[in-house]
């Protein structure tokens, strides 16, 4: 755990490093340009994307406003078919529940498909500590696991690695031939993973949507590893935040294309599965036991706040990261949070504490690109502003900043004060007080000799 | 801006006592300080006349945030105040209200237009400045692929997160230069100030120009 109060300094240090790292910039710009192009093309499938977003927003609003009702409906239906629902208020409770299931089944190997919630609760480490081998089966996640790194992006975990870097990683960790092509690397991973799928006693997945009306969960993925994770092992455990609920299966006709397009520019993701319970007596395959862990872990704090609540509409498509110039420049790890990018900066202060995470809400130029793209219309940059207000109201901002805005207010309430001092004097003041924080790569802005108000008066007198 | 508006037959009033819309404090989270300044702002203007600002950022702030600012805490945008419908960004006012695109300006140069975030995303201004610039005699307008990407200013962001802010400015300037542009033109001085700060420090061969200055230009080369 990092010492309190240091997170901001570490963030600043990391962001300086990454902003100046030109190789990183090039990789990020390349990867995000590709996702941008794909999105531009993919969104053509919507005859009216704005309307689709309005609709999605309305559905998620309903879902979140009646979260309790829908979750209970989900539980009733899901359990009626033999599925088991575990409510976890904290990360620890969720981890303990997974560990208990694993030990009941004497699991030695667990295969996992992509789950950000598992990152949030630090599941891999906990299982490893208990002697269970955990294998990530999503290719990007597998790469990150080999590199012993957290995901760099909520949808594309190894987005920041070039194909050459991945090839080298495989050489170092798996002893492959050097300089393999991406398709060859995929074959290597496939071979390793197939074996693990057969060995594993338990499969763990995330969830893309929970469906209240039919008591089902939706898994959407492109590699087929999710199906193997849910199909091969005897036990399937799904992890999800409580906000993933949709009232009805019928709404998937909107949400699946919306998610696919915003996540990867696809019209629809390759594999989409609705799971409604464990294998029945007359069925040929599927797990014998199916668990779903519904995780709160601070989400009800967000639910209780009428303004912040909208951030629970998130479907984790990653689009706001893709368009964010700050994310692009500093990369995913600088945030040092489970969820990076705009949505991460919005929710992390509510999930993990405002005091230690308020800097994330300030680390934005408020350009609004995130709000512009979000498929469920979360007003992300307004929520960053809201977090800033909360931070000021809680007294977390520095004394200097308070004095600065008090002085500013005084001047702005009195034009004479604002006019005081010629342009030259203001330039001098800027040089003395602002030059340090303005950095070495920019010259200071210059004030004109006369401000507009003074020029205006002179102009009127001439007339 | 004043001379162009007067040239188009507008009577321009200016209250020399006016100061600021309050946005800097709001964006830093200092809502109460902002509110005091915003109250003064509302009182500084004649309620009947349109208010024209050479900035999409200030316009967007008044238009989109004043309602929320003056309501009690809580979600939503608050009640819409008359002043929110009164404010216009300069290029938007010329094109959408006055219906003018040719103001008789001339500037013999190659330039690229930067979509300021406030103008583009808060006010939805995309075409108006381009329509005006296309009518400027001698001006060759080239579009940058990253024309909608933020310049990195963002108020206190520019000093609190200086390295990120500067990297953003750098990429905007470099990309504009790659196009062979001599000027970066925008609706907002804050963006231009940010880009200019990078340009002057690195002695880049490119300049910034506010759209009002372009439209007031009659001399060919500026
Ligand atoms: S906040 Fe919106 S854009 Fe960002 S990940 Fe969530 S749904 Fe996607």
């Amino acid at each position: 755990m990092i010492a309190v109060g240091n997170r901001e300094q570490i963030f600043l240090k990391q962001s300086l490093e990454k902003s100046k790292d030109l190789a990183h910039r090039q990789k990020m710009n390349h990867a995000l340009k590709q996702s941008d192009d794909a999105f531009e093309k993919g969104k053509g499938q919507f005859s009216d994307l704005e309307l689709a977003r309005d609709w999605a927003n309305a559905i998620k609003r309903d879902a979140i406003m009646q979260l309790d009702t829908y979750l209970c409906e989900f539980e009733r239906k899901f359990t009626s078919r033999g599925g088991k629902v575990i409510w976890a208020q904290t990360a620890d409770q969720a981890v303990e529940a997974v560990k208990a299931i694993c030990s009941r089944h004497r699991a030695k190997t667990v295969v996992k498909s992509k789950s950000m919630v598992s990152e949030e609760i630090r599941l891999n480490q906990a299982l490893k500590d208990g002697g269970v081998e955990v294998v990530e089966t999503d290719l990007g996640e597998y790469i990150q696991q080999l590199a012993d790194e957290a995901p760099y992006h909520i949808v594309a975990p190894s987005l920041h690695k070039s194909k050459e870097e991945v090839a080298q990683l495989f050489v170092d960790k798996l002893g492959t031939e050097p300089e393999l092509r991406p398709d060859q690397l995929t074959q290597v991973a496939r071979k390793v993973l197939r074996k693990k799928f057969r060995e594993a006693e338990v499969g763990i997945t995330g969830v893309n949507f929970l469906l209240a009306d039919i008591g089902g969960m939706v898994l959407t993925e492109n590699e087929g590893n999710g199906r193997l994770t849910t199909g091969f092992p005897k036990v399937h455990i799904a992890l999800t935040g409580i906000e993933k609920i949709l009232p009805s299966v019928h709404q998937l006709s909107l949400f699946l294309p919306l998610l696919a397009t915003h996540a990867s520019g696809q019209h629809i993701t390759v594999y989409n599965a609705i799971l409604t319970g464990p294998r029945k007596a007359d069925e040929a395959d599927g797990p014998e036991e199916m668990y779903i862990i519904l995780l709160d872990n601070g989400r009800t704090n967000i639910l209780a706040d009428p303004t912040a609540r909208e951030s629970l509409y998130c479907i984790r498509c990653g689009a706001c990261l893709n368009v964010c110039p700050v994310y692009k420049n500093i990369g995913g790890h600088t945030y040092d949070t489970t969820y990076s990018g705009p949505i991460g900066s919005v929710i992390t202060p509510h999930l993990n504490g405002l005091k230690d995470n308020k800097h994330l809400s300030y680390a934005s130029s408020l350009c609004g690109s995130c709000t512009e793209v979000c498929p469920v219309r979360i007003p992300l940059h307004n929520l960053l502003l809201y977090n800033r207000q909360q931070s000021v109201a809680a007294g977390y901002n520095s004394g200097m900043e308070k004095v600065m805005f008090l002085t500013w207010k005084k001047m702005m309430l009195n034009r004479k004060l604002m006019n005081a001092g010629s342009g030259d004097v203001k330039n001098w003041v800027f040089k003395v007080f602002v030059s340090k924080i303005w950095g070495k790569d920019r010259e200071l802005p210059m004030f004109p000799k006369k401000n507009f108000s003074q020029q205006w008066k002179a102009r009127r007198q001439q007339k | 801006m004043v001379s162009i508006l007067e040239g188009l037959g507008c009577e321009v009033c200016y209250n020399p006592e006016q100061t600021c819309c309050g946005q800097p404090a709001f964006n830093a989270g200092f809502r109460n300080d902002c509110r005091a300044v915003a109250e003064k702002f509302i009182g500084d203007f004649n309620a009947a006349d349109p208010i024209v600002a050479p900035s999409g950022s200030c316009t967007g702030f008044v238009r989109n945030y004043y309602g929320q600012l003056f309501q009690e805490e809580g979600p939503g945008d608050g009640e819409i105040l008359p002043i929110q419908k009164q404010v216009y960004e300069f290029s938007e006012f010329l094109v959408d209200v006055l219906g003018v695109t040719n103001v008789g300006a001339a500037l013999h140069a190659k330039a690229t237009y930067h979509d300021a975030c406030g103008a583009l995303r808060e006010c939805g201004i995309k075409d108006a400045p381009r329509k005006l610039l296309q009518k400027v005699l001698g001006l060759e307008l080239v579009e940058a692929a990253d024309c909608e990407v933020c310049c990195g200013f963002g108020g206190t962001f520019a000093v609190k997160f200086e390295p990120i802010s500067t990297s953003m400015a750098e990429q905007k300037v470099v990309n504009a230069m790659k196009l062979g542009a001599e000027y970066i033109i925008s609706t907002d001085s804050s963006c231009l100030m940010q880009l200019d700060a990078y340009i002057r420090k690195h002695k880049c061969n490119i300049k910034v120009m506010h759209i009002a200055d372009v439209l007031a230009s009659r001399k060919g080369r500026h």
Side-chain angles (χ1 to χ4, degrees):
Chain A
M1 209 45 201
I2 296 158
V4 171
N6 275 345
R7 284 179 55 79
E8 178 167 1
Q9 283 153 19
I10 294 169
F11 178 89
L12 283 169
K13 196 165 153 282
Q14 293 281 338
S15 58
L16 172 67
E17 266 169 38
K18 288 288 187 240
S19 307
K20 304 287 170 217
D21 179 346
L22 295 184
H24 178 263
R25 183 187 293 178
Q26 204 196 348
K27 279 184 287 184
M28 294 298 280
N29 282 349
H30 174 73
L32 295 174
K33 167 86 173 54
Q34 280 186 324
S35 67
D36 188 38
D37 290 347
F39 173 64
E40 284 305 316
K41 239 174 101 189
K43 75 182 185 189
Q45 74 164 320
F46 293 94
S47 56
D48 189 343
L49 179 59
E50 299 314 310
L51 190 63
R53 294 170 71 207
D54 286 341
W55 189 20
N57 174 278
I59 291 170
K60 281 305 291 192
R61 175 176 312 224
D62 167 46
I64 297 298
M65 291 304 278
Q66 303 187 67
L67 189 57
D68 50 347
T69 314
Y70 289 128
L71 284 173
C72 291
E73 186 183 354
F74 167 83
E75 180 182 36
R76 238 183 3 259
K77 302 260 167 74
F78 186 68
T79 48
S80 72
R81 282 184 303 267
K84 297 199 175 68
V85 174
I86 299 167
W87 298 78
Q89 199 172 356
T90 63
D92 283 347
Q93 287 175 4
V95 169
E96 288 312 315
V98 176
K99 275 171 45 183
I101 298 166
C102 286
S103 79
R104 239 188 352 261
H105 290 271
R106 296 183 208 292
K108 288 199 247 355
T109 307
V110 165
V111 281
K112 269 183 72 199
S113 75
K114 211 175 146 4
S115 157
M116 286 308 293
V117 168
S118 76
E119 297 289 331
E120 179 183 336
I121 64 175
R122 308 253 178 278
L123 181 64
N124 287 12
Q125 192 58 45
L127 290 177
K128 223 168 107 187
D129 292 347
V132 179
E133 184 196 17
V134 184
V135 184
E136 294 288 349
T137 65
D138 171 273
L139 186 57
E141 288 287 0
Y142 181 63
I143 292 168
Q144 289 307 94
Q145 191 178 33
L146 284 180
D148 198 19
E149 285 176 20
Y152 216 66
H153 183 285
I154 59 174
V155 173
S158 58
L159 161 113
H160 62 311
K161 288 199 187 321
S162 66
K163 43 186 193 292
E164 293 77 17
E165 285 169 332
V166 176
Q168 188 55 45
L169 181 69
F170 274 49
V171 174
D172 296 343
K173 300 285 169 154
L174 300 172
T176 54
E177 297 287 311
E179 293 173 23
L180 293 184
R181 295 187 312 265
D183 60 316
Q184 294 170 313
L185 294 168
T186 308
Q187 286 310 321
V188 172
R190 185 186 161 101
K191 218 163 147 192
V192 176
L193 295 176
R194 283 286 154 140
K195 186 162 162 283
K196 296 295 175 191
F197 280 123
R198 282 195 299 269
E199 285 171 12
E201 296 86 358
V202 175
I204 298 180
T205 68
V207 169
N208 294 100
F209 302 102
L210 292 169
L211 305 173
D213 61 344
I214 62 161
M217 62 172 120
V218 180
L219 252 82
T220 152
E221 42 126 2
N222 279 313
E223 296 171 12
N225 63 310
R227 320 188 113 195
L228 296 176
T229 306
T230 55
F232 263 93
K234 283 208 182 85
V235 181
H236 171 209
I237 308 173
L239 299 167
T240 180
I242 48 176
E243 78 283 6
K244 289 283 177 73
I245 196 94
L246 286 180
S248 167
V249 63
H250 298 294
Q251 291 154 346
L252 287 179
S253 60
L254 171 66
F255 277 88
L256 284 177
L258 208 55
L259 174 59
T261 299
H262 285 80
S264 55
Q266 291 167 287
H267 285 186
I268 189 97
T269 313
V270 177
Y271 300 102
N272 298 284
I274 301 176
L275 306 175
T276 53
R279 176 203 317 199
K280 293 199 201 107
D282 57 347
E283 285 174 345
D285 51 18
E288 288 163 17
E289 292 179 22
M290 189 181 281
Y291 297 87
I292 185 151
I293 300 184
L294 301 176
L295 179 69
D296 175 359
N297 204 27
R299 287 164 175 78
T300 44
N301 298 341
I302 303 181
L303 185 65
D305 182 323
T307 303
R309 189 178 290 157
E310 289 183 80
S311 61
L312 293 177
Y313 302 174
C314 177
I315 57 172
R316 303 278 188 263
C317 71
C320 57
L321 284 70
N322 297 346
V323 298
C324 176
V326 172
Y327 175 80
K328 199 180 283 187
N329 274 288
I330 68 175
H333 289 161
T334 301
Y335 292 82
D336 190 28
T337 53
T338 304
Y339 306 99
S340 57
I343 183 65
S345 298
V346 165
I347 61 176
T348 307
H350 297 274
L351 298 178
N352 299 352
L354 178 60
K355 199 168 180 187
D356 288 341
N357 293 289
K358 64 173 192 306
H359 62 283
L360 298 173
S361 302
Y362 281 95
S364 161
S365 63
L366 300 174
C367 77
S369 301
C370 46
T371 303
E372 191 183 27
V373 77
C374 177
V376 287
R377 284 205 199 282
I378 300 172
L380 289 151
H381 74 296
N382 292 342
L383 294 180
L384 290 175
L385 269 169
Y386 177 70
N387 288 352
R388 294 180 187 188
Q389 288 171 20
Q390 302 284 96
S391 167
V392 171
Y396 292 154
N397 292 49
S398 74
M400 176 159 128
E401 208 178 344
K402 283 179 212 158
V403 171
M404 202 177 95
F405 278 105
L406 258 178
T407 317
W408 170 86
K409 181 170 79 175
K410 270 219 166 102
M411 284 177 66
M412 292 307 130
L413 290 178
N414 184 340
R415 181 76 209 201
K416 285 190 191 65
L417 279 180
M418 191 173 154
N419 284 349
S422 66
D424 289 342
V425 172
K426 284 175 187 157
N427 282 332
W428 179 81
V429 170
F430 247 57
K431 201 162 174 182
V432 173
F433 294 104
V434 186
S435 62
K436 255 215 189 107
I437 46 178
W438 190 240
K440 289 198 272 304
D441 277 319
R442 291 176 299 195
E443 287 286 349
L444 283 174
M446 299 284 284
F447 288 93
K449 286 224 178 304
K450 280 195 175 138
N451 66 33
F452 182 79
S453 181
Q454 290 154 343
Q455 289 178 38
W456 173 268
K457 282 180 191 157
R459 186 186 157 104
R460 287 292 115 148
Q461 274 156 16
Q462 275 169 16
K463 282 201 170 178
Chain B
M1 181 169 95
V2 175
S3 64
I4 296 164
L5 288 172
E6 285 179 344
L8 292 169
C10 299
E11 184 197 340
V12 181
C13 310
Y14 173 78
N15 176 357
E17 295 305 313
Q18 66 164 284
T19 55
C20 174
C21 65
Q23 180 172 207
F26 191 81
N27 283 3
F30 290 81
R31 187 182 151 112
N32 292 337
D33 293 332
C34 171
R35 188 142 42 165
V37 173
E39 264 165 28
K40 169 170 160 48
F41 181 90
I42 294 174
D44 279 343
F45 291 93
N46 180 341
D49 298 329
I51 302 166
V52 183
S55 157
S57 173
C58 310
T59 305
F61 181 65
V62 174
R63 195 180 281 173
N64 300 336
Y65 293 86
Y66 263 34
Q68 172 190 137
L69 180 65
F70 288 102
Q71 76 171 354
E72 287 314 307
E73 297 276 336
D77 293 334
E79 198 185 317
I80 295 180
L81 309 173
I83 199 159
Q84 293 181 267
K85 293 195 218 154
Q86 236 176 304
V87 284
Y88 296 93
E89 184 277 326
F90 177 52
S91 70
E92 156 184 71
F93 184 75
L94 291 185
V95 176
D96 297 344
V97 179
L98 299 184
V100 174
T101 53
N102 190 345
V103 297
L107 177 68
H108 291 275
K110 189 167 173 177
T112 188
Y113 175 75
H114 160 65
D115 285 285
C117 301
L120 179 70
R121 281 177 280 267
E122 294 293 347
C123 303
I125 297 168
K126 179 81 187 170
D127 296 336
R130 288 176 170 79
K131 282 184 185 157
L132 289 160
L133 292 174
Q134 272 151 11
K135 291 281 162 66
V136 174
L137 192 69
L139 187 70
E140 184 191 346
L141 205 58
V142 281
E143 287 287 346
D146 63 346
C147 61
E148 294 187 0
V149 177
C150 177
C151 68
F153 178 62
T156 52
F157 172 76
V159 291
K160 279 193 177 176
F161 301 93
E162 180 272 317
I164 314 176
S165 168
T166 308
S167 304
M168 287 164 68
E170 175 189 344
Q171 291 170 75
K172 292 290 295 192
V173 171
V174 169
N175 290 338
M177 292 199 332
K178 276 192 199 143
L179 290 172
E182 298 160 78
Y183 291 98
I184 302 174
I185 299 171
S186 190
T187 47
D188 282 61
S189 311
S190 48
C191 310
L192 296 175
M193 180 188 85
Q194 152 87 347
L195 297 174
D196 188 47
Y198 183 85
I199 291 171
R200 281 191 288 128
K201 185 76 193 190
H202 293 268
K203 304 201 165 37
C204 304
N205 192 20
I206 191 165
K207 294 195 193 83
V208 298
M209 205 167 170
H210 193 278
I211 190 164
D213 290 328
V214 176
L215 299 180
S217 181
R218 297 286 183 276
K219 297 191 296 270
R221 287 211 170 255
H222 195 73

